[in-house]
Amino acid sequence: MPAGVAIDPAKIAQQMRRRQLGYGRGPRMQFEPDSVEFLAGLRKGKTLGSPIAMAIKNKDASIDRLPVVTQPRPGHADLTGAIKYDHRDIRNVLERASARETAARVAVGAVCRQFLEPFGIDLASHVVGLGSVRAKPAAATIAQIRAKAEPTPLRCLDAAATKAMVQEIDACMKVGDTLGGVFEVVVEGVPLGLGSHVHYDRRLDAILGAAILSIHAVKGVEIGDGVLGATLPGSKVQDEIFYSKAAGFTRSSNRAGGFEGGMTNGTTVVVRGFMKPLSTLKKPLRSVEINTKKPVVGTVERTDVTTVPAAGVVGEAMLAFEISKAMLEKFGGDSLKEIQRNHRAYLKQAAAF
Amino acid sequence: MPAGVAIDPAKIAQQMRRRQLGYGRGPRMQFEPDSVEFLAGLRKGKTLGSPIAMAIKNKDASIDRLPVVTQPRPGHADLTGAIKYDHRDIRNVLERASARETAARVAVGAVCRQFLEPFGIDLASHVVGLGSVRAKPAAATIAQIRAKAEPTPLRCLDAAATKAMVQEIDACMKVGDTLGGVFEVVVEGVPLGLGSHVHYDRRLDAILGAAILSIHAVKGVEIGDGVLGATLPGSKVQDEIFYSKAAGFTRSSNRAGGFEGGMTNGTTVVVRGFMKPLSTLKKPLRSVEINTKKPVVGTVERTDVTTVPAAGVVGEAMLAFEISKAMLEKFGGDSLKEIQRNHRAYLKQAAAF
Amino acid sequence: MPAGVAIDPAKIAQQMRRRQLGYGRGPRMQFEPDSVEFLAGLRKGKTLGSPIAMAIKNKDASIDRLPVVTQPRPGHADLTGAIKYDHRDIRNVLERASARETAARVAVGAVCRQFLEPFGIDLASHVVGLGSVRAKPAAATIAQIRAKAEPTPLRCLDAAATKAMVQEIDACMKVGDTLGGVFEVVVEGVPLGLGSHVHYDRRLDAILGAAILSIHAVKGVEIGDGVLGATLPGSKVQDEIFYSKAAGFTRSSNRAGGFEGGMTNGTTVVVRGFMKPLSTLKKPLRSVEINTKKPVVGTVERTDVTTVPAAGVVGEAMLAFEISKAMLEKFGGDSLKEIQRNHRAYLKQAAAF
Amino acid sequence: MPAGVAIDPAKIAQQMRRRQLGYGRGPRMQFEPDSVEFLAGLRKGKTLGSPIAMAIKNKDASIDRLPVVTQPRPGHADLTGAIKYDHRDIRNVLERASARETAARVAVGAVCRQFLEPFGIDLASHVVGLGSVRAKPAAATIAQIRAKAEPTPLRCLDAAATKAMVQEIDACMKVGDTLGGVFEVVVEGVPLGLGSHVHYDRRLDAILGAAILSIHAVKGVEIGDGVLGATLPGSKVQDEIFYSKAAGFTRSSNRAGGFEGGMTNGTTVVVRGFMKPLSTLKKPLRSVEINTKKPVVGTVERTDVTTVPAAGVVGEAMLAFEISKAMLEKFGGDSLKEIQRNHRAYLKQAAAF
């Protein structure tokens, strides 16, 4: 993180809160606001250029005193993690593997957002699918998301769909089942030319895809209309190029989700994550006790029906982090002032192309 | 690449050929078999442990003599790459950005496959969707893919779907349109415990996802039933855990595509790529000449209708590469003998868990 | 860090204390024992395989309240850091650039030592030069260092030299000057074959050299008799190879400091760091106030005459860290048990060569 | 490598020739000029921004046909490499481990130099010690090195020392012995603020030190007066800071070799490498045949007495490479034009500090 970036703790707290919201969460989440403490890297409210360390304390008892776990939950890291790391107490795996870890990601993302802000880069997310319900497809601006989706129980733009989603959640809650869904992260203000076509591992769309896939329970990702586009003819999928003196080069549409050749093309970045339903059901799944090797059914540990809205917030954080890295790679620099100067001069160069 | 891996050039040539096949390719591809020359890293047919260098020569004229390009093609790296790298000749971007680059990936993957072979790790791919046609969903073994999909024109397991796909390709060819689709890569024999839950960037499913997304025109990826799973209740998505003396821990199904908590769980790895239709149509798209800024329509450069089967071959190569890296990280070692010894001992440890 | 490594806090505390000792330190150091708190990665005294986080709290006032600094000290990061990161308050540079940061390195190194211990890898350091005094050259074992150097005021094996060093320190203290020197780090039990000749950036001697050079005020490094060897004819510098059934391959001497071709050769690793005298003198150096651009003389901040013995302790920590990484790369594995098994099998293979 | 850098093959050829010169080389070197072929990354004489591939062909027979080697040479990678990589034919190690590999480094460095040239960054080297002879210590500018050292047989600035060095070489040649020495690499024009104090692995002096240590037979390195400085009192080692309107901040001297706090401080970078004598003597060293385990004496393979001047050329190449990386990290950018613009603006900012 470069020097000179103003960090407002209130903005971090706001993101931490957003991660804990969403219709379908159990009661636990609503009573534990996470607070972030800075251990290093800030002075008088600004970054120093040196590493930043933050801590989020758990309110639970010491991990040392928590009971031994020997029943691996299907769909979790439990069994595989225990065998890989040679643990006989699954507790040694599950605490770290827990989605609680995404609190740290959101904290890091909240710092990155404040780095991106002076460049006019902003991020938002909304839910576009929950269980069997899909919101009406429509390109969304951040302003629209903030105004219309953010205040709703599932952070969804489509009011009719929201109603159906809430009903599906309520129905699931009654039978002790869970729901997955699809969230969309939208990033505006990203300059043309982040990422690169020159090496497969520098394609920013692939990097962002991995960042989204790394979120707990996310098992699919698409850039723009990736899944739908695979079913259409080429004549219906492309974004044609136009030019006007006022706007420079523009595209007729944004089916590519802001990317061409692995590089941002200056339009809005759109990435969607497909999240499977939580693996912990009230009606538990069959498993095996690891010592006796006898069949068991999993213990019931949580009561969330769905966390798709929260996963969208984590998705924003992940993209904020990866886009920050791409900005630093593209513009170099050690102080915010220097990076902004390099950024401005590049935008001018691009506009004069 | 460790020392002592036997490299058979015929196996590399076979993979290079597979990349060039598939119904829907233009005539060009069928006349240019790519040949791979080893510049370093091999001696007497075995790897040395030192870096491997390979070259695939182009048959085209020298890149220096190819004509200047000033009309960026929508959906390609052309315009963005030219602005980012400050090129006024788009040729400087398009040659490197071309999917021709995947020949190098397949060559590398073909080497990696021969590293993986002694560990019993094998890869195959098949087409599960093309244009509007979807193959009947069914878990596929590599033996089945080799026997039933590989010899067919689109490397698809479902004969009825294949017929419909061929018809859709023929129809597109007539009107000069293109088609995308969905390929599935299947990896068998991957040991439990590659990747990790401990850091987001060590989750192997995310790494494999990025590798697939990095392939030209791939805009979506799913692990197991990622996209479908997002629409189902939790009770229909999980893979329960069982145990038998003979087989050890097993799962009732493989909806997770071989991953739990970012780690391979010992079952078959299944990853699908969603490929958009090729951006170069016979009926070209609108664009802008970069010097005059006047509207133009793109030039027609190629006549492939679809390359989804080839993309599957590239997908195999990418996964072979990334899984090789994960194997080296998990088992360490400098010679094949050493890695095999570590692998065997770990499998024994895992079986005794 | 793999799972299953027992971490004894007392061993960490012992290393932290060692960093604070040595004749020639000012009074401050003797009253502030650093204590290390584990924030993550341990449970019931063992590593989990997940990341380890440690914190060492400062006793000083909050960094926010410390006064503004505008006089850069020659020989420190002050002026360059302020310009690079665009700080007008040099405090923003000097706190992070302070050698106080090596407390964190020693803490990390103390964890790594406990990982290395089960492999029979041990590290020690001693002072071989201080100011104009040089200890009598002699190959030193860790047992000798522990017995004869560790308890002495300068951690030097040569009693006569120690006496002369203490006198030189006393003389410097009177006139307010400072002294540098040379420390040697010795590592025993390192298996043959860490590092590699195949790429310049995998040569472990170069990596260890960088680790030592990264320590504050260290401006030179040698592997074995590197500096002396450059002045001798080849016939006096090499280590000939012998073989006996009992000992396997052995060398006649260890002028190479345990390395051939960038790889450990199974003999003792010997690396020396050349430390310049501390830049902060009682008789301060000329500098420039950064706002007025007027000449000033530096402020007097500390009263250490020399910290070469402490730098040796930091050197041990750096080598423990880098050798741990090299061990993990060579032997792979996720649990201590697995790595030990791979290590044992490799030693057997090497012995049978 | 960014786009738009003009690459002159003649400048590469010149560096390749420089690596092959120097009094004390055997006759072989003088008849084999290495030529570099570009396989990728260039078009019409300029870099494209995509990866550069170069090949240097060996004139020797195919590596497959070269005879089996079973006698490891002391001081080489031979024995350790064979055991580590499990080779019974030492040929599999020694070809890659050969200092012949530095031809590739010099080729890469020659490309990097042409990237650095537009920024006014230039590099030169000279020999400051050979065997028991040391050149008179004196700060050297590149202009002086080019004028006075480059044309001499050992690329040494001190004519009297050169004479003594030549005599020592002649004497060694007669008895079949070899000689090491010390080379100094000087880099001018490096902007203030490359590298960083914030993390140990970003200190550029440590990175450059590792790059020098990675050269074959180099066993020691110093930044500025690192080795000498360790013996002096602090009052004689520092570089005081001054300011004048015309020159900005200046130092009274450059004992620190251009670095403070791991960052370049805007003065000349000075790094010295200590090279041990070549391990291959005419009067061969004792070793062991690896199959019979019987004592043997090494075979005589080459007749160079010393290659210290050539090692200096390799040292230039390594620093050119690492400083190029540091420039790209500091200034970002994808085209030479963009990086130059960022560089100019930063220099202006630094001058106005």
Side-chain angles (χ1 to χ4, degrees), chain B residues 24-39:
Chain B
R25 307 300 291 270
R28 196 180 54 165
M29 265 304 165
Q30 291 150 27
F31 293 96
E32 300 177 27
D34 279 319
S35 85
V36 176
E37 182 195 357
F38 278 85
L39 303 181

Side-chain angles (χ1 to χ4, degrees), chain B residues 200-218:
Chain B
Y200 88 92
D201 54 357
R202 298 189 193 167
R203 292 186 173 250
L204 189 59
D205 46 3
I207 292 169
L208 299 191
I212 294 295
L213 276 174
S214 78
I215 301 170
H216 302 69
V218 174

Side-chain angles (χ1 to χ4, degrees), chain C residues 52-345:
Chain C
I52 295 173
M54 295 181 275
I56 304 169
K57 292 240 169 78
N58 280 317
K59 283 107 201 168
D60 297 344
S62 155
I63 191 179
D64 280 7
R65 289 193 296 275
L66 292 171
V68 168
V69 176
T70 60
Q71 301 190 12
R73 295 161 304 161
H76 284 91
D78 294 11
L79 180 59
T80 297
I83 298 175
K84 174 182 172 77
Y85 289 100
D86 194 42
H87 292 304
R88 302 286 333 161
D89 180 354
I90 290 169
R91 177 76 60 193
N92 291 348
V93 174
L94 70 82
E95 293 291 337
R96 174 72 195 179
S98 159
R100 168 110 187 87
E101 177 248 298
T102 60
R105 305 195 195 199
V106 172
V108 169
V111 170
C112 292
R113 295 176 91 112
Q114 299 185 59
F115 163 65
L116 294 173
E117 218 180 283
F119 299 94
I121 300 175
D122 196 6
L123 306 97
S125 69
H126 56 123
V127 170
V128 298
L130 204 139
S132 67
V133 185
R134 272 236 136 179
K136 213 169 44 195
T141 65
I142 290 183
Q144 289 168 333
I145 295 171
R146 292 258 160 79
K148 292 193 197 161
E150 197 73 26
T152 71
L154 286 162
R155 299 186 38 256
C156 174
L157 272 170
D158 177 341
T162 300
K163 210 170 152 183
M165 290 170 180
V166 165
Q167 284 170 352
E168 196 159 319
I169 290 171
D170 289 345
C172 266
M173 197 172 299
K174 269 182 207 142
V175 297
D177 214 333
T178 60
L179 289 172
V182 187
F183 60 85
E184 175 176 293
V185 185
V186 169
V187 196
E188 292 177 357
V190 182
L192 171 151
L194 301 190
S196 177
H197 67 282
V198 300
H199 264 324
Y200 89 91
D201 54 357
R202 298 189 193 168
R203 293 187 171 249
L204 188 59
D205 46 3
I207 291 169
L208 299 190
I212 294 295
L213 275 174
S214 79
I215 301 170
H216 302 68
V218 174
K219 304 284 286 184
V221 68
E222 65 177 339
I223 312 295
D225 297 336
V227 170
L228 178 68
T231 66
L232 299 175
S235 52
K236 301 225 169 107
V237 172
Q238 309 309 327
D239 307 307
E240 295 181 303
I241 300 174
F242 297 90
Y243 182 87
S244 73
K245 210 138 194 191
F249 293 98
T250 55
R251 269 80 179 175
S252 56
S253 51
N254 187 20
R255 287 153 180 154
F259 281 94
E260 284 172 314
M263 295 171 280
T264 52
N265 66 7
T267 55
T268 301
V269 168
V270 181
V271 184
R272 276 180 220 107
F274 295 83
M275 189 184 195
K276 71 170 185 178
L278 299 172
S279 308
T280 319
L281 316 178
K282 271 202 191 136
K283 177 165 154 282
L285 300 160
R286 285 171 290 175
S287 182
V288 174
E289 205 276 346
I290 60 172
N291 295 314
T292 62
K293 309 287 191 290
K294 299 274 185 242
V296 288
V297 289
T299 50
V300 179
E301 292 209 354
R302 89 193 273 175
T303 53
D304 289 347
V305 173
T306 190
T307 59
V308 178
V313 175
V314 180
E316 294 172 42
M318 294 308 295
L319 296 204
F321 180 59
E322 296 294 350
I323 289 172
S324 294
K325 289 202 291 181
M327 288 288 288
L328 291 176
E329 193 186 310
K330 170 68 181 155
F331 297 113
D334 295 298
S335 65
L336 180 60
K337 187 169 89 177
E338 182 179 7
I339 305 169
Q340 284 185 291
R341 187 176 61 222
N342 294 350
H343 173 257
R344 266 195 314 272

Side-chain angles (χ1 to χ4, degrees), chain A residues 197-280:
Chain A
H197 67 282
V198 301
H199 264 325
Y200 90 90
D201 54 356
R202 299 189 193 168
R203 291 185 174 251
L204 189 60
D205 45 4
I207 292 169
L208 299 190
I212 294 295
L213 276 174
S214 78
I215 301 170
H216 302 68
V218 174
K219 303 284 285 184
V221 68
E222 65 177 340
I223 312 295
D225 297 336
V227 170
L228 178 68
T231 67
L232 299 175
S235 51
K236 301 223 169 110
V237 172
Q238 309 309 328
D239 307 308
E240 295 181 303
I241 300 174
F242 297 90
Y243 182 86
S244 73
K245 211 137 194 190
F249 293 96
T250 55
R251 267 80 178 174
S252 55
S253 52
N254 187 20
R255 286 153 181 154
F259 281 94
E260 284 172 316
M263 295 170 281
T264 53
N265 66 6
T267 55
T268 301
V269 167
V270 181
V271 183
R272 274 179 222 107
F274 296 82
M275 190 184 194
K276 71 170 184 177
L278 299 171
S279 308
T280 319

Side-chain angles (χ1 to χ4, degrees), chain D:
Chain D
M1 180 63 58
V5 179
I7 300 297
D8 180 351
K11 288 184 181 171
I12 295 172
Q14 180 201 7
Q15 295 300 332
M16 299 306 286
R17 258 197 317 276
R18 288 179 72 226
R19 194 192 72 99
Q20 295 180 301
L21 297 178
Y23 193 79
R25 307 299 290 271
R28 196 181 55 165
M29 267 303 168
Q30 291 150 27
F31 292 96
E32 300 178 27
D34 279 320
S35 86
V36 176
E37 183 195 357
F38 278 85
L39 303 181
L42 285 194
R43 188 166 179 241
K44 299 183 181 175
K46 288 199 169 180
T47 57
L48 291 171
S50 46
I52 294 173
M54 295 181 275
I56 304 169
K57 292 240 169 76
N58 280 317
K59 284 108 203 168
D60 296 344
S62 154
I63 191 180
D64 280 8
R65 288 192 296 276
L66 292 172
V68 167
V69 176
T70 60
Q71 300 191 11
R73 296 160 303 162
H76 285 91
D78 294 11
L79 180 59
T80 297
I83 299 174
K84 174 183 171 79
Y85 290 100
D86 193 42
H87 292 303
R88 302 286 333 161
D89 180 355
I90 290 169
R91 177 77 59 194
N92 290 347
V93 173
L94 70 81
E95 294 291 337
R96 174 72 195 180
S98 159
R100 168 110 187 89
E101 177 248 296
T102 59
R105 305 195 194 198
V106 171
V108 169
V111 169
C112 292
R113 295 176 90 112
Q114 299 185 59
F115 163 64
L116 295 173
E117 218 180 282
F119 299 94
I121 300 175
D122 197 6
L123 307 97
S125 69
H126 56 123
V127 170
V128 298
L130 204 138
S132 67
V133 185
R134 272 236 136 178
K136 214 169 42 197
T141 65
I142 290 183
Q144 289 167 333
I145 295 171
R146 293 258 160 78
K148 293 193 198 161
E150 196 73 26
T152 71
L154 286 162
R155 301 186 36 257
C156 174
L157 272 171
D158 177 341
T162 300
K163 209 169 153 184
M165 290 169 180
V166 165
Q167 284 170 351
E168 196 158 318
I169 290 171
D170 289 345
C172 266
M173 198 173 296
K174 267 180 211 147
V175 297
D177 214 333
T178 59
L179 289 172
V182 187
F183 60 85
E184 174 177 293
V185 185
V186 169
V187 197
E188 292 177 357
V190 182
L192 171 150
L194 301 190
S196 176
H197 66 282
V198 300
H199 263 324
Y200 88 91
D201 55 357
R202 299 189 194 168
R203 292 185 173 251
L204 188 59
D205 45 3
I207 292 170
L208 299 190
I212 294 295
L213 275 174
S214 78
I215 301 170
H216 302 67
V218 173
K219 303 284 285 184
V221 68
E222 65 177 340
I223 312 295
D225 297 336
V227 170
L228 179 67
T231 67
L232 299 175
S235 51
K236 300 225 169 109
V237 173
Q238 310 308 328
D239 307 306
E240 295 181 303
I241 300 175
F242 297 90
Y243 183 86
S244 73
K245 211 139 194 189
F249 293 97
T250 55
R251 267 81 178 173
S252 55
S253 52
N254 186 20
R255 286 155 181 153
F259 281 93
E260 284 173 313
M263 295 171 281
T264 52
N265 66 7
T267 56
T268 301
V269 167
V270 181
V271 184
R272 276 179 221 108
F274 295 82
M275 189 184 195
K276 72 170 183 177
L278 299 172
S279 309
T280 320
L281 316 178
K282 270 201 192 137
K283 177 164 153 285
L285 300 160
R286 282 172 293 174
S287 182
V288 174
E289 207 275 346
I290 60 171
N291 295 314
T292 62
K293 308 288 192 289
K294 299 274 185 238
V296 289
V297 289
T299 49
V300 178
E301 291 209 355
R302 89 193 274 175
T303 53
D304 290 346
V305 172
T306 191
T307 60
V308 179
V313 176
V314 180
E316 294 172 42
M318 293 309 294
L319 296 204
F321 179 60
E322 294 294 350
I323 290 171
S324 295
K325 288 202 290 181
M327 287 289 288
L328 291 175
E329 194 185 309
K330 169 69 182 155
F331 296 114
D334 295 299
S335 66
L336 181 60
K337 187 169 89 177
E338 181 179 7
I339 304 169
Q340 285 186 290
R341 187 176 61 222
N342 294 350
H343 173 256
R344 266 196 313 271
Y346 170 74
L347 290 192
K348 218 169 129 182
Q349 169 192 328
F353 183 84

